Amino acid sequence: MASPRLETFCCPTRDAATDFVLGFQPVFFNAICVASASLSLFGTLAQVLPKRRLGYRRFSQYPLQKPSASSRILLIISICDILACIGIITRASVWLGFPDLGRRISLNGTEIWPTAFCVSTAVWIQLFYSATFWWLFYYAVDAYLVVKRSSGFSILVLYHMLTWGLAVLLLVEGVAMLYYPSISSCENGLEHAIPHYITTYIPMLLVLLVNPILFGKAASAVASLLKGRQGIYTENERRLGTQIKLRFFKILLVFIICWLPNLINESLLFYLELQPDMNRELLKNVKNAALITWFTMSILNPMQGFLSTLAFYGWTGWDFDFRFQKNEIQWELPTASASAENEYENPVAASLNYHDYLQECEKMMTENSHDSNDELCALSEGNGKANGFFTSNSPVYQGL
Protein backbone atom coordinates (compact mmCIF):
# COMPACT_ATOMS: atom_id res chain seq x y z
CA MET A 1 0.00 0.00 0.00
CA ALA A 2 1.04 3.63 -0.33
CA SER A 3 0.69 5.93 2.66
CA PRO A 4 2.91 8.62 4.22
CA ARG A 5 2.45 6.65 7.44
CA LEU A 6 4.95 4.14 6.09
CA GLU A 7 7.72 6.76 6.21
CA THR A 8 6.49 8.00 9.58
CA PHE A 9 6.76 4.46 10.98
CA CYS A 10 10.50 4.50 10.22
CA CYS A 11 10.97 7.35 12.71
CA PRO A 12 11.69 6.20 16.27
CA THR A 13 9.56 9.02 17.70
CA ARG A 14 6.50 8.28 15.60
CA ASP A 15 3.09 9.53 16.68
CA ALA A 16 0.48 7.48 18.51
CA ALA A 17 -1.91 7.29 15.52
CA THR A 18 0.77 5.72 13.31
CA ASP A 19 1.64 3.23 16.04
CA PHE A 20 -2.04 2.42 16.41
CA VAL A 21 -2.72 1.41 12.80
CA LEU A 22 0.64 -0.22 12.08
CA GLY A 23 0.61 -2.10 15.36
CA PHE A 24 -2.84 -3.64 14.84
CA GLN A 25 -2.58 -7.21 13.46
CA PRO A 26 0.68 -6.53 11.57
CA VAL A 27 1.04 -10.12 10.33
CA PHE A 28 -2.44 -10.17 8.83
CA PHE A 29 -1.95 -6.70 7.37
CA ASN A 30 1.35 -7.57 5.67
CA ALA A 31 -0.10 -10.85 4.38
CA ILE A 32 -2.92 -8.91 2.71
CA CYS A 33 -0.39 -6.51 1.19
CA VAL A 34 1.65 -9.39 -0.27
CA ALA A 35 -1.44 -11.13 -1.68
CA SER A 36 -2.96 -8.00 -3.20
CA ALA A 37 0.31 -6.70 -4.66
CA SER A 38 1.19 -10.13 -6.09
CA LEU A 39 -2.21 -10.44 -7.75
CA SER A 40 -1.91 -6.95 -9.20
CA LEU A 41 1.68 -7.56 -10.35
CA PHE A 42 0.91 -10.75 -12.26
CA GLY A 43 -2.36 -9.36 -13.57
CA THR A 44 -0.69 -6.22 -14.90
CA LEU A 45 2.10 -8.24 -16.54
CA ALA A 46 -0.49 -10.53 -18.13
CA GLN A 47 -2.29 -7.50 -19.52
CA VAL A 48 0.70 -5.74 -21.12
CA LEU A 49 2.72 -8.73 -22.38
CA PRO A 50 2.55 -9.41 -26.14
CA LYS A 51 -0.31 -11.55 -27.38
CA ARG A 52 -0.49 -13.85 -30.41
CA ARG A 53 -3.40 -11.97 -31.89
CA LEU A 54 -2.37 -9.50 -34.57
CA GLY A 55 -5.12 -7.15 -33.47
CA TYR A 56 -5.40 -3.86 -35.29
CA ARG A 57 -2.79 -4.57 -37.94
CA ARG A 58 -4.76 -7.49 -39.21
CA PHE A 59 -7.90 -5.50 -39.89
CA SER A 60 -6.48 -2.18 -41.00
CA GLN A 61 -5.86 -1.37 -44.64
CA TYR A 62 -3.84 1.73 -43.83
CA PRO A 63 -0.13 2.03 -43.06
CA LEU A 64 0.59 2.40 -39.37
CA GLN A 65 2.82 4.91 -37.65
CA LYS A 66 4.72 5.02 -34.40
CA PRO A 67 2.83 4.81 -31.08
CA SER A 68 1.32 8.00 -29.79
CA ALA A 69 2.27 9.82 -26.62
CA SER A 70 -1.01 8.71 -25.02
CA SER A 71 -0.31 5.02 -25.61
CA ARG A 72 3.23 5.41 -24.27
CA ILE A 73 1.94 7.19 -21.17
CA LEU A 74 -0.42 4.29 -20.47
CA LEU A 75 2.50 1.88 -20.75
CA ILE A 76 4.62 4.00 -18.39
CA ILE A 77 1.77 4.10 -15.86
CA SER A 78 1.60 0.31 -15.91
CA ILE A 79 5.39 0.04 -15.43
CA CYS A 80 5.26 2.42 -12.45
CA ASP A 81 2.49 0.34 -10.90
CA ILE A 82 4.54 -2.84 -11.42
CA LEU A 83 7.60 -1.32 -9.72
CA ALA A 84 5.49 -0.04 -6.83
CA CYS A 85 3.98 -3.51 -6.35
CA ILE A 86 7.47 -5.02 -6.25
CA GLY A 87 8.32 -2.58 -3.44
CA ILE A 88 5.17 -3.49 -1.51
CA ILE A 89 5.85 -7.22 -1.86
CA THR A 90 9.47 -6.80 -0.74
CA ARG A 91 8.60 -4.65 2.26
CA ALA A 92 5.68 -6.77 3.46
CA SER A 93 7.56 -10.05 2.92
CA VAL A 94 10.51 -8.91 5.01
CA TRP A 95 8.14 -7.63 7.69
CA LEU A 96 6.49 -11.06 7.75
CA GLY A 97 9.83 -12.82 7.97
CA PHE A 98 11.12 -10.52 10.72
CA PRO A 99 8.12 -9.55 12.91
CA ASP A 100 10.33 -7.72 15.40
CA LEU A 101 11.85 -5.43 12.77
CA GLY A 102 9.71 -2.48 13.83
CA ARG A 103 10.79 -2.74 17.42
CA ARG A 104 14.44 -2.80 16.36
CA ILE A 105 14.15 0.73 14.98
CA SER A 106 15.32 2.11 18.30
CA LEU A 107 16.46 5.46 19.58
CA ASN A 108 20.04 4.43 20.21
CA GLY A 109 20.65 3.77 16.50
CA THR A 110 22.78 0.66 17.14
CA GLU A 111 21.10 -1.18 14.25
CA ILE A 112 21.14 0.70 10.99
CA TRP A 113 19.76 -1.77 8.51
CA PRO A 114 16.18 -1.98 9.90
CA THR A 115 15.82 1.80 9.59
CA ALA A 116 17.56 1.86 6.21
CA PHE A 117 15.31 -0.89 4.88
CA CYS A 118 12.20 0.80 6.25
CA VAL A 119 13.04 4.15 4.69
CA SER A 120 14.26 2.83 1.34
CA THR A 121 11.23 0.64 0.69
CA ALA A 122 8.80 3.36 1.80
CA VAL A 123 10.50 5.92 -0.46
CA TRP A 124 10.52 3.44 -3.37
CA ILE A 125 6.79 2.78 -3.07
CA GLN A 126 5.94 6.45 -2.62
CA LEU A 127 8.09 7.54 -5.58
CA PHE A 128 6.49 5.25 -8.14
CA TYR A 129 2.94 5.82 -6.97
CA SER A 130 3.57 9.56 -7.02
CA ALA A 131 4.91 9.18 -10.57
CA THR A 132 1.75 7.25 -11.44
CA PHE A 133 -0.38 10.17 -10.24
CA TRP A 134 1.62 12.68 -12.28
CA TRP A 135 1.49 10.50 -15.38
CA LEU A 136 -2.29 10.16 -15.05
CA PHE A 137 -2.54 13.92 -14.81
CA TYR A 138 -0.41 14.47 -17.91
CA TYR A 139 -2.37 11.80 -19.75
CA ALA A 140 -5.47 13.92 -19.22
CA VAL A 141 -3.56 17.02 -20.31
CA ASP A 142 -2.32 15.25 -23.42
CA ALA A 143 -5.79 13.96 -24.29
CA TYR A 144 -7.25 17.44 -23.94
CA LEU A 145 -4.52 19.11 -26.04
CA VAL A 146 -4.70 16.53 -28.81
CA VAL A 147 -8.47 16.68 -29.18
CA LYS A 148 -8.76 20.42 -28.67
CA ARG A 149 -6.05 21.37 -31.13
CA SER A 150 -6.93 18.57 -33.58
CA SER A 151 -3.24 18.28 -34.34
CA GLY A 152 -1.95 15.36 -32.28
CA PHE A 153 0.48 17.69 -30.51
CA SER A 154 2.26 15.86 -27.71
CA ILE A 155 5.57 16.51 -25.96
CA LEU A 156 6.45 13.25 -24.27
CA VAL A 157 9.95 14.43 -23.30
CA LEU A 158 8.43 17.40 -21.48
CA TYR A 159 6.01 15.08 -19.69
CA HIS A 160 8.95 12.95 -18.55
CA MET A 161 10.83 15.97 -17.22
CA LEU A 162 7.83 17.34 -15.36
CA THR A 163 6.65 14.00 -13.97
CA TRP A 164 9.94 12.68 -12.63
CA GLY A 165 11.18 16.12 -11.63
CA LEU A 166 8.08 16.92 -9.59
CA ALA A 167 7.81 13.41 -8.13
CA VAL A 168 11.42 13.43 -6.92
CA LEU A 169 11.33 17.05 -5.76
CA LEU A 170 8.19 16.68 -3.66
CA LEU A 171 9.32 13.36 -2.24
CA VAL A 172 12.74 14.65 -1.21
CA GLU A 173 11.26 17.78 0.32
CA GLY A 174 8.66 15.86 2.30
CA VAL A 175 11.07 13.18 3.54
CA ALA A 176 13.71 15.78 4.48
CA MET A 177 11.18 17.65 6.60
CA LEU A 178 9.91 14.43 8.19
CA TYR A 179 13.34 13.08 9.18
CA TYR A 180 14.85 16.37 10.31
CA PRO A 181 17.43 16.60 11.86
CA SER A 182 18.19 12.90 11.12
CA ILE A 183 16.41 9.58 10.70
CA SER A 184 17.67 8.31 14.05
CA SER A 185 16.50 11.40 15.92
CA CYS A 186 13.35 12.67 14.25
CA GLU A 187 11.59 15.48 16.02
CA ASN A 188 8.09 14.60 17.14
CA GLY A 189 5.15 16.82 16.24
CA LEU A 190 2.75 17.49 13.41
CA GLU A 191 4.77 20.45 12.14
CA HIS A 192 7.31 17.99 10.71
CA ALA A 193 4.83 15.42 9.44
CA ILE A 194 2.33 17.74 7.76
CA PRO A 195 4.70 18.94 4.97
CA HIS A 196 5.41 15.30 4.14
CA TYR A 197 1.69 14.48 3.97
CA ILE A 198 1.00 17.53 1.80
CA THR A 199 3.70 16.68 -0.73
CA THR A 200 2.38 13.11 -0.84
CA TYR A 201 -1.25 14.02 -1.49
CA ILE A 202 -0.76 16.95 -3.89
CA PRO A 203 -0.51 14.79 -7.05
CA MET A 204 -3.34 12.54 -5.84
CA LEU A 205 -5.66 15.48 -5.27
CA LEU A 206 -4.62 16.95 -8.62
CA VAL A 207 -5.85 13.83 -10.41
CA LEU A 208 -9.05 13.68 -8.37
CA LEU A 209 -9.95 17.34 -8.90
CA VAL A 210 -8.45 18.37 -12.25
CA ASN A 211 -8.61 15.20 -14.37
CA PRO A 212 -12.43 15.09 -14.41
CA ILE A 213 -12.42 18.65 -15.77
CA LEU A 214 -9.83 17.87 -18.46
CA PHE A 215 -11.55 14.62 -19.44
CA GLY A 216 -14.88 16.43 -19.59
CA LYS A 217 -13.53 19.15 -21.84
CA ALA A 218 -11.81 16.59 -24.08
CA ALA A 219 -14.99 14.54 -24.37
CA SER A 220 -17.00 17.66 -25.23
CA ALA A 221 -14.53 18.49 -27.98
CA VAL A 222 -14.91 15.02 -29.49
CA ALA A 223 -18.28 15.85 -31.04
CA SER A 224 -16.89 18.94 -32.75
CA LEU A 225 -13.90 16.98 -33.99
CA LEU A 226 -16.14 14.23 -35.36
CA LYS A 227 -18.32 16.72 -37.23
CA GLY A 228 -15.17 18.37 -38.47
CA ARG A 229 -14.93 19.14 -42.14
CA GLN A 230 -18.10 17.34 -43.27
CA GLY A 231 -20.47 18.96 -40.78
CA ILE A 232 -22.25 15.64 -40.08
CA TYR A 233 -22.57 13.53 -36.95
CA THR A 234 -23.68 9.98 -37.74
CA GLU A 235 -24.70 7.20 -35.38
CA ASN A 236 -21.32 5.50 -35.80
CA GLU A 237 -19.52 8.68 -34.81
CA ARG A 238 -21.84 9.19 -31.85
CA ARG A 239 -21.10 5.66 -30.63
CA LEU A 240 -17.37 6.23 -30.96
CA GLY A 241 -17.64 9.45 -28.96
CA THR A 242 -19.61 7.60 -26.29
CA GLN A 243 -16.91 4.95 -26.03
CA ILE A 244 -14.24 7.61 -25.51
CA LYS A 245 -16.29 9.18 -22.73
CA LEU A 246 -16.81 5.75 -21.18
CA ARG A 247 -13.10 5.09 -21.15
CA PHE A 248 -12.39 8.38 -19.39
CA PHE A 249 -15.04 7.45 -16.83
CA LYS A 250 -13.49 4.02 -16.22
CA ILE A 251 -10.05 5.54 -15.61
CA LEU A 252 -11.44 8.00 -13.08
CA LEU A 253 -13.60 5.35 -11.41
CA VAL A 254 -10.63 3.04 -10.85
CA PHE A 255 -8.56 5.87 -9.43
CA ILE A 256 -11.30 7.00 -7.04
CA ILE A 257 -11.98 3.45 -5.82
CA CYS A 258 -8.30 2.75 -5.18
CA TRP A 259 -7.28 6.03 -3.54
CA LEU A 260 -10.31 7.58 -1.85
CA PRO A 261 -9.81 5.32 1.22
CA ASN A 262 -6.39 6.94 1.69
CA LEU A 263 -7.89 10.39 2.03
CA ILE A 264 -10.55 9.14 4.44
CA ASN A 265 -8.02 7.22 6.51
CA GLU A 266 -5.60 10.14 6.71
CA SER A 267 -8.39 12.46 7.83
CA LEU A 268 -9.40 10.05 10.59
CA LEU A 269 -5.83 9.53 11.80
CA PHE A 270 -5.16 13.25 11.73
CA TYR A 271 -8.27 13.78 13.86
CA LEU A 272 -7.02 11.16 16.33
CA GLU A 273 -3.64 12.85 16.54
CA LEU A 274 -5.30 16.08 17.61
CA GLN A 275 -7.00 14.39 20.55
CA PRO A 276 -5.30 14.57 23.98
CA ASP A 277 -6.25 10.95 24.70
CA MET A 278 -6.83 8.46 21.87
CA ASN A 279 -8.09 5.78 24.24
CA ARG A 280 -11.30 7.57 25.16
CA GLU A 281 -14.49 5.58 24.65
CA LEU A 282 -15.94 8.35 22.49
CA LEU A 283 -13.22 7.76 19.90
CA LYS A 284 -13.91 4.03 19.53
CA ASN A 285 -15.94 4.42 16.34
CA VAL A 286 -13.34 6.72 14.83
CA LYS A 287 -10.58 4.21 15.59
CA ASN A 288 -12.61 1.37 14.07
CA ALA A 289 -13.24 3.39 10.93
CA ALA A 290 -9.53 4.18 10.70
CA LEU A 291 -8.66 0.48 10.94
CA ILE A 292 -11.27 -0.48 8.34
CA THR A 293 -9.99 2.07 5.82
CA TRP A 294 -6.39 1.10 6.65
CA PHE A 295 -6.96 -2.53 5.70
CA THR A 296 -9.03 -1.44 2.70
CA MET A 297 -6.02 0.54 1.51
CA SER A 298 -3.83 -2.57 1.77
CA ILE A 299 -6.12 -4.23 -0.78
CA LEU A 300 -7.07 -1.43 -3.16
CA ASN A 301 -3.80 0.53 -3.40
CA PRO A 302 -1.77 -2.31 -4.96
CA MET A 303 -4.72 -3.35 -7.15
CA GLN A 304 -4.60 -0.03 -9.00
CA GLY A 305 -2.12 -1.45 -11.52
CA PHE A 306 -4.29 -4.36 -12.64
CA LEU A 307 -7.57 -2.45 -12.48
CA SER A 308 -6.06 0.40 -14.49
CA THR A 309 -5.01 -1.94 -17.29
CA LEU A 310 -8.58 -3.24 -17.41
CA ALA A 311 -9.76 0.36 -17.78
CA PHE A 312 -7.08 1.09 -20.39
CA TYR A 313 -7.32 -2.00 -22.60
CA GLY A 314 -10.05 -4.30 -21.31
CA TRP A 315 -9.16 -7.95 -20.72
CA THR A 316 -6.44 -8.98 -23.20
CA GLY A 317 -6.37 -12.73 -22.52
CA TRP A 318 -3.64 -15.28 -21.83
CA ASP A 319 -2.45 -16.07 -25.36
CA PHE A 320 1.09 -14.72 -24.96
CA ASP A 321 3.53 -14.36 -27.82
CA PHE A 322 7.24 -14.01 -27.02
CA ARG A 323 8.51 -14.45 -30.56
CA PHE A 324 10.88 -11.73 -31.69
CA GLN A 325 9.74 -9.84 -34.79
CA LYS A 326 11.80 -7.17 -36.42
CA ASN A 327 9.33 -6.30 -39.13
CA GLU A 328 5.60 -6.60 -39.34
CA ILE A 329 3.72 -8.08 -42.26
CA GLN A 330 2.18 -5.37 -44.35
CA TRP A 331 -1.55 -6.02 -44.58
CA GLU A 332 -2.77 -4.12 -47.58
CA LEU A 333 -5.96 -4.46 -49.56
CA PRO A 334 -6.25 -3.85 -53.28
CA THR A 335 -8.75 -1.05 -52.63
CA ALA A 336 -6.37 1.00 -50.51
CA SER A 337 -6.06 4.47 -51.96
CA ALA A 338 -3.32 7.04 -51.67
CA SER A 339 -5.73 9.53 -50.19
CA ALA A 340 -6.63 7.12 -47.40
CA GLU A 341 -2.97 6.49 -46.64
CA ASN A 342 -2.18 10.16 -46.47
CA GLU A 343 -5.18 10.88 -44.34
CA TYR A 344 -4.24 8.25 -41.77
CA GLU A 345 -0.93 9.98 -41.24
CA ASN A 346 -2.78 12.62 -39.25
CA PRO A 347 -1.00 12.64 -35.88
CA VAL A 348 -4.25 12.93 -33.97
CA ALA A 349 -5.11 9.42 -35.14
CA ALA A 350 -2.16 8.18 -33.14
CA SER A 351 -3.75 9.45 -29.95
CA LEU A 352 -7.30 8.13 -30.24
CA ASN A 353 -7.70 4.43 -30.92
CA TYR A 354 -10.47 2.12 -29.81
CA HIS A 355 -10.15 -1.57 -30.65
CA ASP A 356 -13.85 -2.36 -30.75
CA TYR A 357 -14.38 0.30 -33.39
CA LEU A 358 -11.34 -0.17 -35.60
CA GLN A 359 -13.27 -1.69 -38.46
CA GLU A 360 -16.05 0.79 -37.88
CA CYS A 361 -13.55 3.65 -38.11
CA GLU A 362 -12.34 2.33 -41.45
CA LYS A 363 -15.93 2.19 -42.64
CA MET A 364 -16.56 5.78 -41.53
CA MET A 365 -13.41 6.98 -43.27
CA THR A 366 -14.47 5.27 -46.48
CA GLU A 367 -17.99 6.64 -46.39
CA ASN A 368 -16.90 10.20 -45.51
CA SER A 369 -14.03 10.51 -47.97
CA HIS A 370 -11.53 9.72 -45.19
CA ASP A 371 -12.13 12.95 -43.33
CA SER A 372 -11.25 13.69 -39.70
CA ASN A 373 -13.09 10.63 -38.31
CA ASP A 374 -9.76 8.83 -38.13
CA GLU A 375 -8.65 11.41 -35.58
CA LEU A 376 -10.78 9.65 -32.97
CA CYS A 377 -9.41 6.14 -33.41
CA ALA A 378 -6.95 6.13 -30.45
CA LEU A 379 -7.85 7.78 -27.13
CA SER A 380 -9.73 4.74 -25.93
CA GLU A 381 -7.89 1.48 -25.66
CA GLY A 382 -4.25 2.03 -26.56
CA ASN A 383 -2.69 2.18 -29.98
CA GLY A 384 -1.90 -0.24 -32.76
CA LYS A 385 0.82 1.72 -34.47
CA ALA A 386 4.27 0.35 -33.83
CA ASN A 387 6.93 -1.98 -35.08
CA GLY A 388 9.02 -4.54 -33.27
CA PHE A 389 8.60 -7.44 -30.90
CA PHE A 390 6.86 -5.78 -27.96
CA THR A 391 4.87 -3.16 -29.81
CA SER A 392 3.66 -5.35 -32.64
CA ASN A 393 1.52 -7.68 -30.56
CA SER A 394 1.21 -5.94 -27.21
CA PRO A 395 -2.24 -4.67 -26.13
CA VAL A 396 -0.52 -1.47 -25.10
CA TYR A 397 -0.24 -0.59 -28.78
CA GLN A 398 -3.16 -2.53 -30.18
CA GLY A 399 -5.86 -1.10 -27.96
CA LEU A 400 -7.03 -4.58 -27.01
Side-chain angles (χ1 to χ4, degrees), residues 226-227 232-240 360 364 367-368 373:
L226 282 170
K227 293 178 182 178
I232 58 176
Y233 194 50
T234 66
E235 180 62 25
N236 289 337
E237 292 163 330
R238 185 177 294 104
R239 290 176 60 191
L240 181 58
E360 187 172 320
M364 288 193 301
E367 293 176 351
N368 297 326
N373 287 320

Side-chain angles (χ1 to χ4, degrees), residues 90-235:
T90 303
R91 179 187 178 94
S93 298
V94 172
W95 238 258
L96 286 173
F98 302 91
D100 63 335
L101 194 63
R103 293 191 297 269
R104 292 162 64 181
I105 304 176
S106 56
L107 290 173
N108 54 28
T110 55
E111 292 188 271
I112 299 177
W113 86 265
T115 302
F117 174 80
C118 181
V119 173
S120 59
T121 53
V123 168
W124 175 279
I125 296 169
Q126 206 66 47
L127 173 63
F128 286 107
Y129 274 127
S130 179
T132 300
F133 302 154
W134 285 113
W135 276 118
L136 281 170
F137 171 70
Y138 287 117
Y139 173 77
V141 172
D142 185 76
Y144 172 74
L145 291 177
V146 167
V147 176
K148 194 68 175 178
R149 299 186 182 188
S150 185
S151 63
F153 179 75
S154 296
I155 309 178
L156 190 60
V157 174
L158 179 61
Y159 296 154
H160 269 290
M161 295 173 61
L162 292 174
T163 296
W164 296 110
L166 289 171
V168 172
L169 178 64
L170 292 176
L171 179 63
V172 170
E173 181 182 356
V175 169
M177 290 294 297
L178 178 65
Y179 295 137
Y180 176 84
S182 68
I183 297 177
S184 60
S185 57
C186 310
E187 290 191 16
N188 201 0
L190 289 176
E191 64 274 10
H192 294 279
I194 288 179
H196 174 58
Y197 296 157
I198 292 176
T199 56
T200 299
Y201 286 110
I202 280 178
M204 184 188 299
L205 291 173
L206 195 65
V207 175
L208 285 173
L209 299 178
V210 180
N211 274 35
I213 299 175
L214 292 174
F215 281 153
K217 289 183 176 296
S220 299
V222 165
S224 300
L225 190 60
L226 282 170
K227 293 178 182 178
R229 305 158 195 166
Q230 295 291 327
I232 58 176
Y233 194 50
T234 66
E235 180 62 25

